[in-house]
PDB file of all heavy atoms in Angstrom:
ATOM      1  N   TYR A 878      10.517 -16.485   0.836  1.00 98.00           N
ATOM      2  CA  TYR A 878      10.480 -15.568  -0.307  1.00 98.00           C
ATOM      3  C   TYR A 878      10.918 -16.279  -1.590  1.00 98.00           C
ATOM      4  O   TYR A 878      10.367 -16.025  -2.672  1.00 98.00           O
ATOM      5  CB  TYR A 878      11.360 -14.344  -0.025  1.00 98.00           C
ATOM      6  CG  TYR A 878      10.969 -13.640   1.251  1.00 98.00           C
ATOM      7  CD1 TYR A 878      11.739 -13.765   2.414  1.00 98.00           C
ATOM      8  CD2 TYR A 878       9.803 -12.886   1.325  1.00 98.00           C
ATOM      9  CE1 TYR A 878      11.368 -13.148   3.594  1.00 98.00           C
ATOM     10  CE2 TYR A 878       9.421 -12.260   2.502  1.00 98.00           C
ATOM     11  CZ  TYR A 878      10.210 -12.400   3.639  1.00 98.00           C
ATOM     12  OH  TYR A 878       9.829 -11.791   4.811  1.00 98.00           O
ATOM     13  N   GLU A 879      11.881 -17.186  -1.469  1.00 98.00           N
ATOM     14  CA  GLU A 879      12.312 -17.958  -2.625  1.00 98.00           C
ATOM     15  C   GLU A 879      11.181 -18.848  -3.122  1.00 98.00           C
ATOM     16  O   GLU A 879      10.963 -18.991  -4.334  1.00 98.00           O
ATOM     17  CB  GLU A 879      13.535 -18.813  -2.263  1.00 98.00           C
ATOM     18  CG  GLU A 879      14.035 -19.696  -3.389  1.00 98.00           C
ATOM     19  CD  GLU A 879      14.459 -18.924  -4.619  1.00 98.00           C
ATOM     20  OE1 GLU A 879      14.981 -17.794  -4.464  1.00 98.00           O
ATOM     21  OE2 GLU A 879      14.250 -19.435  -5.743  1.00 98.00           O
ATOM     22  N   ALA A 881       7.983 -18.228  -2.746  1.00 98.00           N
ATOM     23  CA  ALA A 881       7.000 -17.342  -3.381  1.00 98.00           C
ATOM     24  C   ALA A 881       7.392 -17.065  -4.825  1.00 98.00           C
ATOM     25  O   ALA A 881       6.541 -17.091  -5.736  1.00 98.00           O
ATOM     26  CB  ALA A 881       6.886 -16.036  -2.598  1.00 98.00           C
ATOM     27  N   ARG A 882       8.684 -16.784  -5.051  1.00 98.00           N
ATOM     28  CA  ARG A 882       9.166 -16.534  -6.415  1.00 98.00           C
ATOM     29  C   ARG A 882       8.971 -17.779  -7.293  1.00 98.00           C
ATOM     30  O   ARG A 882       8.479 -17.677  -8.423  1.00 98.00           O
ATOM     31  CB  ARG A 882      10.639 -16.141  -6.393  1.00 98.00           C
ATOM     32  CG  ARG A 882      11.225 -16.015  -7.796  1.00 98.00           C
ATOM     33  CD  ARG A 882      12.589 -15.352  -7.817  1.00 98.00           C
ATOM     34  NE  ARG A 882      13.508 -15.943  -6.879  1.00 98.00           N
ATOM     35  CZ  ARG A 882      14.136 -15.276  -5.912  1.00 98.00           C
ATOM     36  NH1 ARG A 882      13.913 -13.981  -5.739  1.00 98.00           N
ATOM     37  NH2 ARG A 882      14.992 -15.871  -5.107  1.00 98.00           N
ATOM     38  N   THR A 883       9.328 -18.940  -6.768  1.00 98.00           N
ATOM     39  CA  THR A 883       9.192 -20.184  -7.533  1.00 98.00           C
ATOM     40  C   THR A 883       7.734 -20.444  -7.899  1.00 98.00           C
ATOM     41  O   THR A 883       7.408 -20.784  -9.048  1.00 98.00           O
ATOM     42  CB  THR A 883       9.746 -21.363  -6.709  1.00 98.00           C
ATOM     43  OG1 THR A 883      11.132 -21.144  -6.454  1.00 98.00           O
ATOM     44  CG2 THR A 883       9.564 -22.677  -7.452  1.00 98.00           C
ATOM     45  N   ARG A 886       6.478 -17.788 -10.547  1.00 98.00           N
ATOM     46  CA  ARG A 886       7.008 -18.064 -11.878  1.00 98.00           C
ATOM     47  C   ARG A 886       6.370 -19.315 -12.483  1.00 98.00           C
ATOM     48  O   ARG A 886       6.143 -19.381 -13.696  1.00 98.00           O
ATOM     49  CB  ARG A 886       8.520 -18.203 -11.808  1.00 98.00           C
ATOM     50  CG  ARG A 886       9.237 -16.888 -11.548  1.00 98.00           C
ATOM     51  CD  ARG A 886      10.745 -17.066 -11.455  1.00 98.00           C
ATOM     52  NE  ARG A 886      11.422 -15.788 -11.300  1.00 98.00           N
ATOM     53  CZ  ARG A 886      12.729 -15.664 -11.119  1.00 98.00           C
ATOM     54  NH1 ARG A 886      13.504 -16.753 -11.063  1.00 98.00           N
ATOM     55  NH2 ARG A 886      13.275 -14.469 -10.979  1.00 98.00           N
ATOM     56  N   THR A 946       8.349  -5.774   1.451  1.00 97.00           N
ATOM     57  CA  THR A 946       9.390  -5.317   0.528  1.00 97.00           C
ATOM     58  C   THR A 946      10.145  -6.517  -0.034  1.00 97.00           C
ATOM     59  O   THR A 946      10.338  -6.640  -1.250  1.00 97.00           O
ATOM     60  CB  THR A 946      10.374  -4.373   1.248  1.00 97.00           C
ATOM     61  OG1 THR A 946       9.656  -3.228   1.738  1.00 97.00           O
ATOM     62  CG2 THR A 946      11.475  -3.911   0.303  1.00 97.00           C
ATOM     63  N   ARG A 947      10.572  -7.405   0.835  1.00 97.00           N
ATOM     64  CA  ARG A 947      11.298  -8.593   0.400  1.00 97.00           C
ATOM     65  C   ARG A 947      10.432  -9.460  -0.513  1.00 97.00           C
ATOM     66  O   ARG A 947      10.915 -10.052  -1.480  1.00 97.00           O
ATOM     67  CB  ARG A 947      11.772  -9.394   1.609  1.00 97.00           C
ATOM     68  CG  ARG A 947      12.822  -8.688   2.452  1.00 97.00           C
ATOM     69  CD  ARG A 947      13.138  -9.441   3.722  1.00 97.00           C
ATOM     70  NE  ARG A 947      13.808 -10.713   3.448  1.00 97.00           N
ATOM     71  CZ  ARG A 947      14.067 -11.617   4.384  1.00 97.00           C
ATOM     72  NH1 ARG A 947      13.692 -11.393   5.659  1.00 97.00           N
ATOM     73  NH2 ARG A 947      14.678 -12.745   4.074  1.00 97.00           N
ATOM     74  N   HIS A 948       9.148  -9.529  -0.205  1.00 97.00           N
ATOM     75  CA  HIS A 948       8.238 -10.338  -1.021  1.00 97.00           C
ATOM     76  C   HIS A 948       8.116  -9.765  -2.432  1.00 97.00           C
ATOM     77  O   HIS A 948       8.208 -10.499  -3.429  1.00 97.00           O
ATOM     78  CB  HIS A 948       6.861 -10.406  -0.354  1.00 97.00           C
ATOM     79  CG  HIS A 948       5.895 -11.301  -1.060  1.00 97.00           C
ATOM     80  ND1 HIS A 948       5.084 -10.860  -2.078  1.00 97.00           N
ATOM     81  CD2 HIS A 948       5.618 -12.626  -0.899  1.00 97.00           C
ATOM     82  CE1 HIS A 948       4.339 -11.860  -2.512  1.00 97.00           C
ATOM     83  NE2 HIS A 948       4.647 -12.939  -1.818  1.00 97.00           N
ATOM     84  N   ALA A 949       7.910  -8.440  -2.532  1.00 97.00           N
ATOM     85  CA  ALA A 949       7.762  -7.814  -3.852  1.00 97.00           C
ATOM     86  C   ALA A 949       9.034  -7.943  -4.676  1.00 97.00           C
ATOM     87  O   ALA A 949       8.987  -8.216  -5.890  1.00 97.00           O
ATOM     88  CB  ALA A 949       7.378  -6.348  -3.697  1.00 97.00           C
ATOM     89  N   VAL A 950      10.182  -7.765  -4.030  1.00 96.00           N
ATOM     90  CA  VAL A 950      11.461  -7.895  -4.741  1.00 96.00           C
ATOM     91  C   VAL A 950      11.658  -9.342  -5.202  1.00 96.00           C
ATOM     92  O   VAL A 950      12.092  -9.597  -6.328  1.00 96.00           O
ATOM     93  CB  VAL A 950      12.625  -7.447  -3.838  1.00 96.00           C
ATOM     94  CG1 VAL A 950      13.962  -7.821  -4.460  1.00 96.00           C
ATOM     95  CG2 VAL A 950      12.560  -5.943  -3.602  1.00 96.00           C
ATOM     96  N   ALA A 951      11.301 -10.288  -4.359  1.00 97.00           N
ATOM     97  CA  ALA A 951      11.506 -11.698  -4.684  1.00 97.00           C
ATOM     98  C   ALA A 951      10.694 -12.130  -5.895  1.00 97.00           C
ATOM     99  O   ALA A 951      11.217 -12.805  -6.794  1.00 97.00           O
ATOM    100  CB  ALA A 951      11.154 -12.571  -3.479  1.00 97.00           C
ATOM    101  N   ILE A 952       9.414 -11.731  -5.952  1.00 97.00           N
ATOM    102  CA  ILE A 952       8.580 -12.182  -7.068  1.00 97.00           C
ATOM    103  C   ILE A 952       8.622 -11.222  -8.247  1.00 97.00           C
ATOM    104  O   ILE A 952       8.137 -11.548  -9.334  1.00 97.00           O
ATOM    105  CB  ILE A 952       7.119 -12.417  -6.629  1.00 97.00           C
ATOM    106  CG1 ILE A 952       6.413 -11.102  -6.301  1.00 97.00           C
ATOM    107  CG2 ILE A 952       7.052 -13.373  -5.444  1.00 97.00           C
ATOM    108  CD1 ILE A 952       4.913 -11.256  -6.091  1.00 97.00           C
ATOM    109  N   GLY A 953       9.180 -10.021  -8.031  1.00 96.00           N
ATOM    110  CA  GLY A 953       9.246  -9.038  -9.110  1.00 96.00           C
ATOM    111  C   GLY A 953       7.894  -8.473  -9.486  1.00 96.00           C
ATOM    112  O   GLY A 953       7.633  -8.178 -10.657  1.00 96.00           O
ATOM    113  N   ALA A 954       7.042  -8.302  -8.496  1.00 97.00           N
ATOM    114  CA  ALA A 954       5.682  -7.832  -8.784  1.00 97.00           C
ATOM    115  C   ALA A 954       5.022  -7.300  -7.523  1.00 97.00           C
ATOM    116  O   ALA A 954       5.444  -7.590  -6.405  1.00 97.00           O
ATOM    117  CB  ALA A 954       4.841  -8.975  -9.353  1.00 97.00           C
TER     118      ALA A 954
END
Side-chain angles (χ1 to χ4, degrees):
Y878 304 105
E879 178 60 34
R882 174 168 50 237
T883 298
R886 289 179 176 176
T946 300
R947 294 173 67 187
H948 185 272
V950 169
I952 70 170

